[in-house]
Amino acid sequence: MVQSLPLALAAASLFLLPPALADGLYTKSSPVLQVSGNNYDSLIAKTNYTSIVEFYAPWCGHCQSLKPAFEKAAKSLTGLAKVAAVNCDEESNKPLCGTMGVQGFPTLKIVKPGKKAGKPIVEDYQGPRSAKGIVDAVIDKIPNHVKRLKDTDYQDWLEAGDGPKAILFSDKGTTSALLKAVAIDYRDVIPVAQIRNSEKEATEVFHVEKFPTLVLLPGEGKDPLTYNGEMKKENMVAFLAQAASPNPDPAPKKTKSSSSKTDKSKASKASSSFADASKSQASSEAKTAKASQTMETMDDESQPTESPDPNVVKEDTQKPVKLPKVAPPIASLDDTIPLQQKCLNTKAGTCILALLPPTEGDAASPETLQAISSLSEIHRKHEGGKRNLFPFYQLPASNPETDSLRQQLSLDSGIQLIAVNGKRAWYRHYAKSTFTQLEIEDWIDAIRMGDGSKSKLPDTLIADAETLPEEPVYVKVPKDYQSNPEAMREAMKAQMPEGVEFEFEEMDDSEYDRVIDQAREGAAKREAKEKAEAEVSKVVEEEDGKKSDVPIEHVEL
């Protein structure tokens, strides 16, 4: 039987690959854990750790390009999480690849422990194909079993149970990935807690004078032990091992009955379906690339790898999923009075302000776009979770107060982020020159937790709240209600701030015309503002490389 040309080319490309690639992309010395269908459950599904798993084929060009960044991510996550790969070209692995819904290469999935042992939560990784992007995403998914304690409750925690316990005294408000990983090692063996340096009673009881300090309470009436080594995971685990052994990983194998016919049938169907998809992509790649004994290497490991069309097309392939829209940009305060009303007065709470530099033409700098995008995503994240968070605002260079803030706080003309609190007259400056979402969120979390030092906000920047004009209140009333005063009253009342009262008054024609003109002018300004914000969103979306017509499982964000 004559073999079709596409499959013949695919087969030729496999024969011309170097031996290492024919067997698999990752060697035994690679930091990437090589997983198969036989050990996936014990190494990934049943582990207490978060994992990121790459499903690949050795002949896939995009997989070869991803390899340097994936290995770099594996080194960075050593001891914190698992970075693994499954060779879907191996016959014995095809049922697993099919079961995991692999339809193209490379497919990356984050696997994190679920509430029920052996039943993990699997999510598609849709972030940048770069080492940093992978590391940031995985760290964000590491389970946190560390108990945060204060002077008011640490004694109750100590008295609960007779076994050993461990406490990290820290000057940080957030829990590090390192401590989370240690807590995972000792989950259900040694409870791990964290106490901030501001909790004076606890620090004095345990004679802690420097931060961070790890203290082990061995239990059974034994005196506490203080760790004096480096804050490295293997050393910390060895220190705690004086009181108890860490959890083994992978977990000891348990005897289990043979698979049912139904399970075997499902695996067979998944394997068959995946094999068809794999052949389709192999054929597609063979048509568009010549076979070569050398493969391209990445010029810059930190840059995302291209994935123009790694999607496998089948008759029953679902249509590309539309990407969610980027978060709408945070509100802009374009004049002094709104800024004073919101943030810079004697009764105002904490605000995050992004001081924007003047733009050259219509183009904002990449740093400005990234900062606004990161703040917008953080704001949407907290708003979607219905968590109270202080407001974020943009301050354009055209706002006279922007230049005043720069001068009085000694800030340069670039993009600057500051947190201000008018009531308590303090501010904090974001000192980094990079503006990733993770970095800014860490800074904001530290402010929320009261970590770090604050600087005195000059009195000349803070307005007396009693002298400021009241903020206008905007309400929306359905057109159907405009001929029904009572319905209109109820609709308006539901949108009014607490304590605000209002009443209807008749007006003559001239007054009516004046109000209508004022309303039209305000509507025109709001429309112009919304249009400008839409343009910023469009620029941010283009800057991030998001394309809504690319299948979501392979898009580069």
Side-chain angles (χ1 to χ4, degrees):
M1 181 177 178
V2 179
Q3 190 177 31
S4 64
L5 180 59
L7 289 179
L9 287 173
S13 68
L14 286 175
F15 286 126
L16 289 173
L17 284 172
L21 291 182
D23 293 336
L25 283 181
Y26 302 98
T27 64
K28 291 182 178 179
S29 61
S30 172
V32 175
L33 178 65
Q34 296 171 75
V35 175
S36 69
N38 293 329
N39 59 17
Y40 175 85
D41 276 354
S42 62
L43 293 177
I44 304 297
K46 294 181 179 178
T47 184
N48 289 327
Y49 285 94
T50 294
S51 308
I52 184 164
V53 184
E54 176 195 4
F55 296 87
Y56 74 93
W59 44 260
C60 165
H62 301 302
C63 305
Q64 296 164 18
S65 297
L66 176 63
K67 179 185 174 183
F70 204 59
E71 289 191 314
K72 186 175 180 181
K75 291 179 181 177
S76 299
L77 290 168
T78 300
L80 305 179
K82 294 188 177 185
V83 179
V86 177
N87 180 0
C88 293
D89 220 34
E90 282 284 342
E91 198 65 35
S92 60
N93 292 340
K94 289 180 179 179
L96 170 63
C97 297
T99 302
M100 296 298 290
V102 176
Q103 291 291 310
F105 304 120
T107 290
L108 299 178
K109 292 182 181 285
I110 294 179
V111 185
K112 60 181 182 180
K115 292 182 178 180
K116 189 175 180 180
K119 300 291 183 181
I121 299 168
V122 182
E123 301 175 359
D124 290 327
Y125 171 72
Q126 300 164 359
R129 300 296 173 92
S130 64
K132 186 178 186 307
I134 292 168
V135 169
D136 289 348
V138 174
I139 285 178
D140 188 53
K141 301 294 183 181
I142 296 177
N144 187 2
H145 303 298
V146 178
K147 179 72 174 177
R148 296 291 298 276
L149 299 176
K150 296 184 177 181
D151 282 343
T152 54
D153 59 5
Y154 82 96
Q155 283 287 2
D156 292 337
W157 182 79
L158 292 175
E159 293 169 4
D162 300 325
K165 294 180 174 66
I167 304 174
L168 180 74
F169 290 86
S170 172
D171 55 359
K172 305 295 183 185
T174 55
T175 302
S176 67
L178 171 61
L179 189 61
K180 290 179 184 178
V182 171
I184 289 171
D185 267 7
Y186 280 97
R187 186 182 181 187
D188 299 327
V189 178
I190 298 179
V192 178
Q194 180 172 331
I195 297 179
R196 279 186 51 203
N197 59 327
S198 57
E199 305 301 321
K200 301 301 183 183
E201 179 183 324
T203 55
E204 289 176 5
V205 166
F206 288 95
H207 308 291
V208 176
E209 297 179 351
K210 64 177 183 177
F211 304 91
T213 291
L214 179 63
V215 175
L216 169 64
L217 290 77
E220 300 178 352
K222 296 179 181 178
D223 292 335
L225 302 174
T226 301
Y227 174 68
N228 295 314
E230 290 184 88
M231 287 296 165
K232 291 185 176 180
K233 186 191 171 190
E234 58 270 24
N235 297 344
M236 296 166 70
V237 169
F239 170 72
L240 298 180
Q242 298 176 84
S245 298
N247 293 307
D249 191 82
K253 292 182 179 180
K254 295 181 180 179
T255 304
K256 56 182 179 180
S257 59
S258 58
S259 301
S260 66
K261 291 182 179 180
T262 303
D263 292 337
K264 289 182 179 180
S265 175
K266 286 182 179 179
S268 176
K269 287 180 180 179
S271 178
S272 176
S273 175
F274 168 76
D276 291 341
S278 179
K279 287 178 182 178
S280 175
Q281 185 171 346
S283 174
S284 176
E285 290 214 1
K287 286 181 179 180
T288 57
K290 293 182 179 180
S292 172
Q293 289 189 343
T294 61
M295 70 174 186
E296 284 186 315
T297 56
M298 294 173 63
D299 293 331
D300 184 354
E301 293 181 25
S302 66
Q303 297 301 314
T305 62
E306 286 190 10
S307 294
D309 188 16
N311 194 45
V312 177
V313 180
K314 294 175 59 184
E315 291 183 0
D316 59 347
T317 298
Q318 293 184 350
K319 292 182 179 180
V321 180
K322 293 292 183 181
L323 284 173
K325 293 182 180 179
V326 295
I330 55 175
S332 178
L333 300 178
D334 302 327
D335 208 346
T336 300
I337 295 299
L339 172 60
Q340 291 176 333
Q341 289 173 327
K342 299 288 187 184
C343 305
L344 294 180
N345 69 71
T346 51
K347 292 185 178 180
T350 303
C351 294
I352 301 295
L353 302 177
L355 280 60
L356 308 186
T359 57
E360 298 180 6
D362 294 328
S365 68
E367 292 81 9
T368 299
L369 292 172
Q370 186 181 35
I372 298 304
S373 174
S374 295
L375 286 169
S376 302
E377 290 293 345
I378 294 168
H379 182 268
R380 180 170 68 172
K381 173 181 173 182
H382 285 268
E383 192 176 51
K386 296 182 179 179
R387 294 185 290 269
N388 291 327
L389 187 64
F390 25 75
F392 302 172
Y393 298 108
Q394 302 180 52
L395 292 191
S398 57
N399 187 330
E401 206 68 16
T402 303
D403 189 52
S404 180
L405 281 164
R406 290 185 188 277
Q407 291 180 4
Q408 297 196 52
L409 304 184
S410 301
L411 304 175
D412 64 40
S413 59
I415 175 72
Q416 301 289 343
L417 305 184
I418 57 173
V420 298
N421 187 299
K423 184 177 182 179
R424 300 186 182 278
W426 59 257
Y427 78 95
R428 284 192 61 178
H429 177 228
Y430 177 81
K432 293 187 176 182
S433 58
T434 52
F435 300 92
T436 66
Q437 182 177 335
L438 185 64
E439 290 171 317
I440 295 178
E441 196 159 15
D442 284 345
W443 176 66
I444 290 173
D445 284 342
I447 294 170
R448 292 172 59 213
M449 298 297 296
D451 290 341
S453 59
K454 301 178 178 68
S455 301
K456 178 72 168 64
L457 194 63
D459 293 337
T460 52
L461 290 172
I462 306 173
D464 184 348
E466 302 299 332
T467 64
L468 291 174
E470 293 184 0
E471 292 187 62
V473 177
Y474 296 98
V475 296
K476 294 181 179 180
V477 180
K479 290 183 178 179
D480 296 346
Y481 288 4
Q482 293 178 9
S483 59
N484 186 336
E486 286 306 315
M488 184 185 296
R489 181 188 299 275
E490 291 303 315
M492 294 175 66
K493 187 175 181 180
Q495 299 177 59
M496 288 290 180
E498 185 177 352
V500 174
E501 299 292 339
F502 65 93
E503 59 184 36
F504 292 143
E505 290 184 1
E506 287 192 26
M507 62 178 67
D508 57 30
D509 291 344
S510 61
E511 179 68 10
Y512 176 80
D513 291 340
R514 186 189 68 78
V515 170
I516 291 298
D517 289 342
Q518 188 178 26
R520 285 172 178 164
E521 182 181 350
K525 286 183 178 180
R526 288 195 294 275
E527 184 179 354
K529 181 180 177 182
E530 289 172 359
K531 184 177 179 181
E533 290 177 346
E535 288 297 320
V536 172
S537 293
K538 182 179 178 182
V539 173
V540 171
E541 187 170 355
E542 291 174 353
E543 188 71 24
D544 288 344
K546 295 181 177 179
K547 300 178 181 180
S548 62
D549 58 346
V550 177
I552 196 166
E553 61 266 34
H554 295 291
V555 74
E556 297 293 347
L557 297 180

